[in-house]
Amino acid sequence: MSRFSRGGVVVTPLLDLCLQCLTRNISRYAADLKTLPPNIKDKLMKSLSIQGRITDSNISTMLHSAVEALDLRDCDISDSALHQLCRCKHLKKINLSVWKENRPTITSEGVAALALSCRSLREASFKRCSNLTDHGVLTLALNCPLLQIVNIGGCTSITDASLQALGQNCRFLHSVDFSSTQVTDDGVIALASGMCSSNLKEVHMERCVKLTDVAVEAVLTYCPKMYILLFHGCPLITDRSREALEQMVRPDKFKQVSWTVY
């Protein structure tokens, strides 16, 4: 954090200057990073993550047992990096989502390794990790019962099996994105009526071409706390869902709802 002298001159703390130097010359000092204290590693990791400079080859030098959050959205990593998280037993949040192109380098193998090592996960985001399949989500659901937020939108191989696993094992789940996947009404019913039904508040199921009005009605029926429900771009959903919204939900209950009329 910058400080100001009495003369109004900005003075950058020595620690920040050192971190800036490390960031600019990370490859030169890679061998020295392992000995840094955890709080310094956290600052360095955050800075490099924002710049998209965390890789499979350098992530291990900045990890430590007390890491709780990793934001790797802008970093070019693969399953190899996830295998290196085995020491991060207290990891609660990981974000591997991408928004423009797919990320094929993260697969179910890596996600399964993550789930087996980091059982305290609360938030796991894998949007557009195109090679993630039901196997990875099943392992995640079975081993991370404290999950609250899951994003598997754009993981086009995901089917009902993933939603069934989340519904059966993740009691605290309150936000889930499975947009642009292969799920059907059966999967949505299993999720909405599962052990997380009383906690679910936010569901993104837009652009799921196999869903019908039955899926929307299931969410409205089983999830009393729901306040964000997105189901636009689902060609089999009709005006019947809009009518269900009007009949089953108070006008002021939802913060956001979207659908497409075909």
Side-chain angles (χ1 to χ4, degrees):
M1 181 180 295
S2 297
R3 298 173 183 173
F4 295 87
S5 71
R6 292 181 179 178
V9 178
V10 177
V11 178
T12 303
L14 180 59
L15 174 58
D16 289 354
L17 290 172
C18 292
L19 288 173
Q20 290 172 17
C21 180
L22 270 176
T23 301
R24 288 194 300 268
N25 302 280
I26 189 67
S27 58
R28 182 188 303 178
Y29 298 109
D32 302 312
L33 298 181
K34 289 185 178 181
T35 60
L36 293 175
N39 63 315
I40 303 300
K41 286 186 174 183
D42 288 341
K43 291 178 180 292
L44 187 60
M45 176 78 81
K46 182 177 180 180
S47 177
L48 289 171
S49 295
I50 292 172
Q51 298 176 42
R53 297 180 62 192
I54 300 296
T55 66
D56 291 344
S57 60
N58 67 23
I59 190 172
S60 65
T61 61
M62 287 167 280
L63 294 174
H64 57 86
S65 60
V67 169
E68 292 191 355
L70 290 172
D71 187 346
L72 303 170
R73 287 174 292 178
D74 299 316
C75 301
D76 184 14
I77 64 167
S78 70
D79 284 347
S80 175
L82 299 188
H83 281 284
Q84 296 176 62
L85 300 180
C86 58
R87 77 182 90 166
C88 303
K89 304 299 183 182
H90 301 288
L91 187 67
K92 296 179 180 178
K93 177 180 178 179
I94 187 166
N95 191 342
L96 292 163
S97 293
V98 290
W99 298 96
K100 294 181 179 180
E101 299 178 357
N102 290 334
R103 190 198 290 272
T105 53
I106 298 296
T107 74
S108 288
E109 179 186 348
V111 173
L114 170 73
L116 291 170
S117 298
C118 308
R119 297 172 184 257
S120 296
L121 275 176
R122 267 72 161 177
E123 181 174 344
S125 298
F126 306 106
K127 193 175 188 71
R128 301 190 70 146
C129 291
S130 53
N131 285 323
L132 176 60
T133 66
D134 292 326
H135 169 66
V137 180
L138 177 60
T139 309
L140 194 71
L142 289 174
N143 292 279
C144 305
L146 300 178
L147 279 170
Q148 299 176 12
I149 300 174
V150 172
N151 190 337
I152 48 177
C155 302
T156 53
S157 297
I158 295 298
T159 73
D160 292 342
S162 289
L163 299 192
Q164 290 165 358
L166 291 171
Q168 291 170 1
N169 297 280
C170 301
R171 180 182 304 277
F172 304 104
L173 191 65
H174 64 75
S175 174
V176 60
D177 183 338
F178 50 89
S179 55
S180 301
T181 62
Q182 299 299 314
V183 300
T184 72
D185 294 341
D186 290 339
V188 177
I189 292 171
L191 174 71
S193 63
M195 61 167 55
C196 59
S197 62
S198 61
N199 288 315
L200 271 178
K201 301 176 182 178
E202 181 175 351
V203 169
H204 295 241
M205 56 185 191
E206 62 268 27
R207 294 182 296 277
C208 290
V209 298
K210 297 181 180 181
L211 295 184
T212 74
D213 298 308
V214 173
V216 177
E217 292 170 352
V219 173
L220 296 177
T221 299
Y222 293 112
C223 306
K225 293 183 179 178
M226 187 64 52
Y227 64 83
I228 295 178
L229 177 59
L230 308 183
F231 54 93
H232 57 270
C234 300
L236 300 183
I237 292 180
T238 70
D239 206 42
R240 174 177 144 190
S241 290
R242 179 189 60 79
E243 295 172 355
L245 277 166
E246 293 177 350
Q247 295 171 5
M248 301 172 66
V249 181
R250 299 191 320 271
D252 61 341
K253 178 181 178 182
F254 276 90
K255 286 187 176 181
Q256 185 178 2
V257 60
S258 69
W259 69 89
T260 304
V261 177
Y262 290 93

